[in-house]
Amino acid sequence: MRNAAAAIALTALLATSSLPLRAQETPAPRDSSSSSGTEWFPGDFAVAPLLAFPLEIRPGAALLWAERDIDDSIDGWNLEARVAIGLRLPVVRFQEEAPGRPAIELGFEVGVWSRFFMESLEKEQIDTDWKIGVPLGLRYRIWDFRVTLQHVSSHLGDDYLNDNPQDVFQSSREGFELLLGVRPGFDARVYVGGDLNLGRSEDFITPEDPREPIVIFTTVEAWAFRFGAEWDQTRWGSKRIAPFAAANFEINEFTDRIATLLKAGASFRVKTVRFYLDIEYHSGPSSMGQFRTVDETWVGLNFMGEL
C-alpha cells in the first residue's frame, strides 16, 4: 500500500507541476508535401523510449546492492551486476507528422538483460531475459502511442542452478506491449500502458502416484499494467546536458503488489545519441522473469545509452 500511495503521489506531482504548462508538441515538417512519402530507416524513433521501464531496450550496465525475499544461496544484501545489450531500429516511417496527421512508423528491436552475483568466485549468472519486438508507433502533437508485437523469455543461469538445484519451468510469452503517453509541458511525459500476453508458456508436474492426474499450469501472467512519468530536458528541451528523473510503477496478474522503479541523474545529448548516468531504486516484485513473484529491493548506479 505504501508503494501504491507513493506511485500515485509522484505521478500526480509530475502531472500537476506548478511550472507553466506549455504544450510539448513536436514541430511539424516545414514542407509537408516533401515528407508525405515513405522513408526507410529514418534514423530515430518518432515515439521516444521509456526511461524507467525495466524491459525498455537500450545498452547499459549497472552495479546493484540488492536483496531478494527468497531462500537460496544468495542470502541477504549482496553486490550484483546487470548488463543490457540491445538494438532498436526504426525500419520505415510511413509519413511524417504534419497538421492533421500523425507520424507513423514501424521498427524492430531485440534486447538481452543478464544479472550476475558479483560476490561469488565464478560471478554466477542469476537470470537472463530476452525480448524481440516489432513496434508500431504514432506521434501527434503532445500524444505518443505505441503497440509492440513481442516475444519475451526468461532463463535461470547455469551457475545459479548448480548452487540452487530445483525444478526449472519454461517462462516465455507472446503478445502486445501498449503505451499511451502525453507530453503536457515542462519537458516531461506521463504515460500508461501494459502487456497483453496472448501466448503463454505452460508446464506440468507429474505426481508421484501414477493414478493422480498430471498437473498443468501457466508460468506467465496474462496481463500487466504500468504507469509512470519522466522528465528529460535533453529530449524534449533544448539542453545538451541536464538532470533527468523518471518513475515506473507496475503490477501484473500474478502479484498484488506494485513494483516501483525510480531513477534520477544526468543526461547527455550528442547530436542524436543520448547517454544517461543515474542512481536507481527498486522495490517490489522482481523485474527478472524467473523471479517475477519474488519481492526484491535494490539501490544501484546505472549507465545506459541510446545510439
Side-chain angles (χ1 to χ4, degrees):
M1 291 300 295
R2 286 179 296 182
N3 279 342
I8 295 171
L10 182 54
T11 302
L13 177 62
L14 285 172
T16 60
S17 170
S18 60
L19 293 173
L21 292 184
R22 51 180 175 81
Q24 201 77 42
E25 298 181 20
T26 303
R30 295 181 180 179
D31 183 3
S32 61
S33 62
S34 64
S35 58
S36 59
T38 298
E39 180 184 3
W40 291 92
F41 305 107
D44 61 342
F45 278 90
V47 177
L50 298 177
L51 289 172
F53 174 39
L55 291 186
E56 193 73 45
I57 293 175
R58 54 167 61 87
L63 283 176
L64 310 175
W65 186 243
E67 180 187 41
R68 276 178 295 282
D69 186 16
I70 188 173
D71 185 15
D72 62 6
S73 61
I74 305 175
D75 188 30
W77 288 91
N78 63 91
L79 182 65
E80 297 180 3
R82 182 185 65 221
V83 177
I85 302 173
L87 169 69
R88 302 180 72 246
L89 181 66
V91 176
V92 56
R93 185 163 298 165
F94 299 105
Q95 62 184 32
E96 291 284 0
E97 181 182 348
R101 74 174 193 216
I104 304 175
E105 67 184 8
L106 189 68
F108 171 79
E109 58 184 22
V110 59
V112 183
W113 299 262
S114 289
R115 188 85 71 85
F116 299 91
F117 179 38
M118 300 304 291
E119 296 181 16
S120 66
L121 182 63
E122 66 274 23
K123 305 298 185 286
E124 68 185 58
Q125 183 181 10
I126 303 170
D127 175 274
T128 296
D129 298 296
W130 296 75
K131 177 180 177 181
I132 183 170
V134 179
L136 175 66
L138 288 83
R139 182 193 67 211
Y140 185 64
R141 296 172 67 89
I142 65 172
W143 296 96
D144 293 333
F145 174 77
R146 185 180 72 189
V147 55
T148 302
L149 177 64
Q150 65 179 7
H151 166 83
V152 181
S153 62
S154 305
H155 311 270
L156 291 171
D158 292 340
D159 295 331
Y160 180 83
L161 285 173
N162 288 337
D163 291 341
N164 300 274
Q166 59 188 275
D167 292 330
V168 179
F169 302 112
Q170 182 182 2
S171 175
S172 64
R173 53 189 171 95
E174 296 82 30
F176 297 96
E177 180 261 331
L178 304 171
L179 168 68
L180 176 62
V182 59
R183 287 166 274 117
F186 54 91
D187 305 323
R189 175 170 63 179
V190 180
Y191 63 88
V192 296
D195 299 325
L196 179 61
N197 299 318
L198 304 179
R200 296 183 289 159
S201 57
E202 294 182 339
D203 222 311
F204 63 90
I205 297 176
T206 303
E208 296 182 0
D209 187 344
R211 294 170 297 180
E212 295 292 328
I214 294 176
V215 179
I216 300 176
F217 59 94
T218 301
T219 60
V220 179
E221 66 276 4
W223 58 266
F225 172 75
R226 69 185 59 92
F227 63 100
E230 48 196 23
W231 172 59
D232 184 1
Q233 294 176 292
T234 66
R235 183 179 301 281
W236 295 297
S238 59
K239 295 186 178 181
R240 294 184 178 274
I241 302 175
F244 85 96
N248 185 82
F249 309 97
E250 185 166 339
I251 190 169
N252 66 55
E253 180 193 20
F254 282 2
T255 65
D256 58 358
R257 304 170 307 283
I258 291 178
T260 298
L261 181 57
L262 308 177
K263 287 174 171 283
S267 58
F268 309 85
R269 176 169 58 88
V270 182
K271 295 184 178 179
T272 60
V273 177
R274 289 179 178 82
F275 299 100
Y276 297 88
L277 181 64
D278 62 82
I279 300 294
E280 60 181 43
Y281 167 79
H282 175 276
S283 178
S286 175
S287 60
M288 295 187 292
Q290 287 284 350
F291 296 85
R292 55 177 23 92
T293 60
V294 177
D295 279 1
E296 179 178 43
T297 302
W298 81 66
V299 178
L301 177 65
N302 177 64
F303 175 80
M304 58 188 183
E306 292 179 16
L307 308 180

